[in-house]
Amino acid sequence: GQSLEQPSEVTAVEGAIVQINCTYQTSGFYGLSWYQQHDGGAPTFLSYNALDGLEETGRFSSFLSRSDSYGYLLLQELQMKDSASYFCAARGSGKSTFGDGTTLTVKP
Amino acid sequence: DVKVTQSSRYLVKRTGEKVFLECVQDMDHENMFWYRQDPGLGLRLIYFSYDVKMKEKGDIPEGYSVSREKKERFSLILESASTNQTSMYLCASRTLGDGKNIQYFGAGTRLSVL
């Protein structure tokens, strides 16, 4: 089976850095993805890690440690528009399993 | 840009009705998925399809069936809708060719079963 754990809520102030952690238990693990979803919107892809290490895309970075079954999403220079839900998703054989999501609230 | 289109944004049906949710993608993606999203429960996979006429059960297939007769279209069928199937339904497509495992989602169909 597959399961993922991520915090349900995180709050930070504008301009700060926030890290959203994700631990997973997945058979036949291929990689870890991150998605952003604004209220009423569709999830949109942010990043994917197949190998250990850090992937950087602008203000967002994602990290994976396969030996620890752990990853995180790092958001820098937070902006109000970053307030959204963030989901990690572990890809196993064919399908991906999503975590329950972390609601990020960015305050002025 | 990849476009995944779901036929309805909002749908209201009665208990016992047969419901069809349609999803079309325009990027010739091999894989397509149906999820339901409920508050606090994230996205749960109902069914997915590797390619035309192929389907695999996801984590919560009970009460649902799917059809993929053409590569661009993946339909979700509720044979006899029940109130516990009231939810947001999201369709997604994916190609494995880019090596990034990106799923592209439609805008979702919010289904209410009365």
Side-chain angles (χ1 to χ4, degrees):
Chain A
Q2 303 187 71
S3 68
L4 294 94
E5 295 282 336
Q6 56 180 125
S8 57
E9 295 180 349
V10 173
T11 301
V13 296
E14 215 173 356
I17 299 172
V18 73
Q19 178 173 313
I20 300 173
N21 299 320
C22 175
T23 57
Y24 60 87
Q25 289 184 329
T26 302
S27 55
F29 176 79
Y30 282 84
L32 193 70
S33 302
W34 288 92
Y35 288 81
Q36 178 191 61
Q37 185 180 31
H38 285 100
D39 246 0
T44 56
F45 172 83
L46 292 175
S47 69
Y48 176 63
N49 295 69
L51 303 174
D52 283 1
L54 194 68
E55 292 278 344
E56 297 180 75
T57 310
R59 293 187 297 115
F60 293 0
S61 304
S62 58
F63 172 83
L64 177 66
S65 169
R66 295 174 73 104
S67 60
D68 295 322
S69 297
Y70 163 76
Y72 66 73
L73 179 69
L74 191 73
L75 298 85
Q76 302 182 73
E77 301 171 20
L78 281 175
Q79 302 175 7
M80 298 297 290
K81 67 178 182 179
D82 297 330
S83 291
S85 292
Y86 293 83
F87 296 89
C88 57
R91 185 187 160 209
S93 301
K95 65 177 188 176
S96 292
T97 298
F98 284 75
D100 289 345
T102 299
T103 301
L104 170 64
T105 303
V106 180
K107 296 188 171 179
Chain B
D1 274 357
V2 175
K3 193 168 183 182
V4 179
T5 304
Q6 294 184 228
S7 54
S8 304
R9 194 79 171 94
Y10 300 94
L11 212 50
V12 180
K13 296 292 181 181
R14 297 209 174 272
T15 302
E17 278 193 79
K18 191 168 185 175
V19 182
F20 293 87
L21 302 183
E22 305 285 345
C23 176
V24 176
Q25 51 97 0
D26 66 357
M27 283 300 290
D28 201 38
H29 284 175
E30 302 87 5
N31 303 163
M32 295 188 75
F33 305 83
W34 274 107
Y35 296 89
R36 64 177 282 177
Q37 184 174 26
D38 300 289
L41 293 179
L43 282 74
R44 292 182 291 166
L45 182 65
I46 304 171
Y47 267 96
F48 65 106
S49 169
Y50 288 113
D51 213 326
V52 179
K53 297 190 186 294
M54 299 176 72
K55 59 185 178 184
E56 293 281 340
K57 291 181 180 179
D59 299 316
I60 52 163
E62 298 77 20
Y64 304 94
S65 62
V66 290
S67 171
R68 188 141 181 231
E69 295 297 315
K70 293 185 177 182
K71 194 172 189 178
E72 67 270 19
R73 187 179 298 271
F74 192 34
S75 303
L76 180 69
I77 303 150
L78 287 68
E79 294 290 341
S80 177
S82 63
T83 54
N84 63 12
Q85 291 178 311
T86 291
S87 187
M88 170 68 87
Y89 290 87
L90 289 163
C91 173
S93 73
R94 175 182 74 183
T95 181
L96 297 177
D98 61 9
K100 291 191 173 183
N101 190 39
I102 302 173
Q103 291 193 35
Y104 297 88
F105 285 84
T109 296
R110 187 167 292 283
L111 173 67
S112 295
V113 182
L114 307 178

